[in-house]
Amino acid sequence: MPPTVAARPSLKADALLLSVTMMAAAGWIFSKEALDGLPPLLFIGTRFLLAALLLGMVGWRALLNLDARQWRQAGAVGVLFIGAITLWILGLDASQHLGESAFINSLWILMVPFMARFLFGDRPPPATWLALPVAMLGFACLSLNNGFRVEPSQWLFLASATLFALLFNVNSQVVKRVPPLPFTIIQMLVLGAGLTLISALSEPWPRQVASPTLGWLLASVVIASVMRFWVQLYAQRLTSSSNGAVIMMLEAVWTALLAALWFRETMSPLQWLGCALIFTALLINRWHWLRRLWHKRPAT
């Protein structure tokens, strides 16, 4: 088969995953805007509850085919998802710099192999040990911008990244026993229903919600949740997980650019250095995969 023909599925997957990173980055903007009119837990709970209902309209037959054990396993992962996304939305609500926050949150990619070592005994590649001090230096630069002071939002995003790394590892095990579509629907359903209930018990709800806020909520549901899931699931079938992980690192870059354009955010040189170091650490962590992709590039 000619290289150009063989490369088409990979190029298509790369383009689709690139659009996924853009939708994910747009989700940061949608969410930040929606938080102006909705309390954080109510917003994120409603977002994922509506997304679960929309996906459920397509995947209800797959849900009926699951047994009780599969439902329990998917539901348990949904509870872990609640913890990770709660820290994320609280960090977003408190954050003054979305670009900086996105780079801190992206540290979960670096944490995944360490979690796998702790949970399953997998050995992290040597590049991971080199990437860790680079990432820590980057986080230190972000914290040193106004003297040594780690802001609450930074702690929240760091804790969120830790739970997302744990969630990724658990997902990789459970998805072997539960099909991806119903698995995702159950996670979203547990997350949405759980956080909506917690919000009702702990947050004051607005008496009315302005139309712009409803628009941002709808965009978060349709674009940043449902469409993102469908495109990512389809694209992952066309490429390797390693290739997908490298492309998904661009989410933080797009988020920083969108925040600069939409919110007129600016960062000091030290903050830019911190973000650059974190992104460099992510590239170091994926270096062996980048080399593999380079050597397998199609001939011209």
Side-chain angles (χ1 to χ4, degrees):
M1 182 179 294
T4 54
V5 176
R8 286 174 187 169
S10 179
L11 291 175
K12 182 179 180 180
D14 290 352
L16 290 172
L17 286 173
L18 187 63
S19 72
V20 169
T21 63
M22 293 178 177
M23 286 187 281
W28 285 73
I29 306 297
F30 301 156
S31 298
K32 190 65 174 178
E33 289 284 9
L35 289 174
D36 283 341
L38 289 171
L41 298 185
L42 176 61
F43 160 69
I44 203 69
T46 305
R47 168 183 166 177
F48 280 96
L49 186 58
L50 292 175
L53 294 176
L54 287 175
L55 286 175
M57 294 173 64
V58 178
W60 64 272
R61 292 183 184 275
L63 289 171
L64 295 178
N65 290 330
L66 299 182
D67 57 34
R69 183 180 180 183
Q70 289 173 311
W71 273 89
R72 287 195 302 269
Q73 291 176 335
V77 177
V79 174
L80 180 59
F81 197 8
I82 288 177
I85 205 69
T86 297
L87 291 169
W88 179 82
I89 196 62
L90 292 177
L92 183 62
D93 190 40
S95 175
Q96 301 299 319
H97 296 281
L98 262 65
E100 170 189 302
S101 300
F103 277 98
I104 296 174
N105 189 72
S106 67
L107 288 173
W108 72 266
I109 300 173
L110 182 60
M111 296 179 187
V112 165
F114 292 102
M115 288 285 183
R117 171 67 171 173
F118 177 75
L119 294 172
F120 311 117
D122 298 341
R123 289 189 175 183
T128 301
W129 298 105
L130 179 61
L132 182 61
V134 177
M136 292 176 64
L137 182 60
F139 185 73
C141 287
L142 295 177
S143 304
L144 289 169
N145 186 56
N146 295 312
F148 185 74
R149 180 172 58 88
V150 182
E151 299 177 358
S153 63
Q154 294 176 330
W155 284 120
L156 288 167
F157 279 117
L158 190 59
S160 173
T162 303
L163 283 186
F164 273 123
L166 176 61
L167 181 66
F168 184 89
N169 277 287
V170 174
N171 272 342
S172 66
Q173 299 299 313
V174 178
V175 78
K176 297 175 183 177
R177 300 184 290 271
V178 183
L181 178 58
F183 183 32
T184 301
I185 295 172
I186 293 172
Q187 281 191 74
M188 288 185 173
L189 186 61
V190 171
L191 171 63
L195 283 184
T196 302
L197 177 59
I198 294 172
S199 172
L201 298 174
S202 62
E203 292 179 327
W205 285 17
R207 294 185 177 181
Q208 60 182 13
V209 180
S211 298
T213 300
L214 291 176
W216 293 118
L217 173 62
L218 184 62
S220 297
V221 172
V222 176
I223 299 175
S225 299
V226 176
M227 286 182 58
R228 174 190 174 183
F229 163 74
W230 273 113
V231 176
Q232 183 173 340
L233 181 65
Y234 178 70
Q236 285 179 327
R237 294 174 179 175
L238 302 178
T239 189
S240 65
S241 58
S242 58
N243 184 39
V246 171
I247 296 175
M248 291 301 290
M249 290 189 295
L250 291 174
E251 177 185 340
V253 177
W254 302 136
T255 302
L257 292 175
L258 285 176
L261 291 172
W262 191 260
F263 295 117
R264 306 293 183 185
E265 281 191 6
T266 59
M267 290 193 289
S268 69
L270 190 60
Q271 287 175 307
W272 278 115
L273 177 60
C275 293
L277 286 170
I278 290 174
F279 189 68
T280 300
L282 298 176
L283 292 177
I284 293 172
N285 189 47
R286 300 292 181 180
W287 179 247
H288 62 294
W289 284 341
L290 290 170
R291 289 184 61 188
R292 189 184 308 166
L293 292 173
W294 174 258
H295 290 303
K296 288 185 178 180
R297 70 191 189 283
T300 56

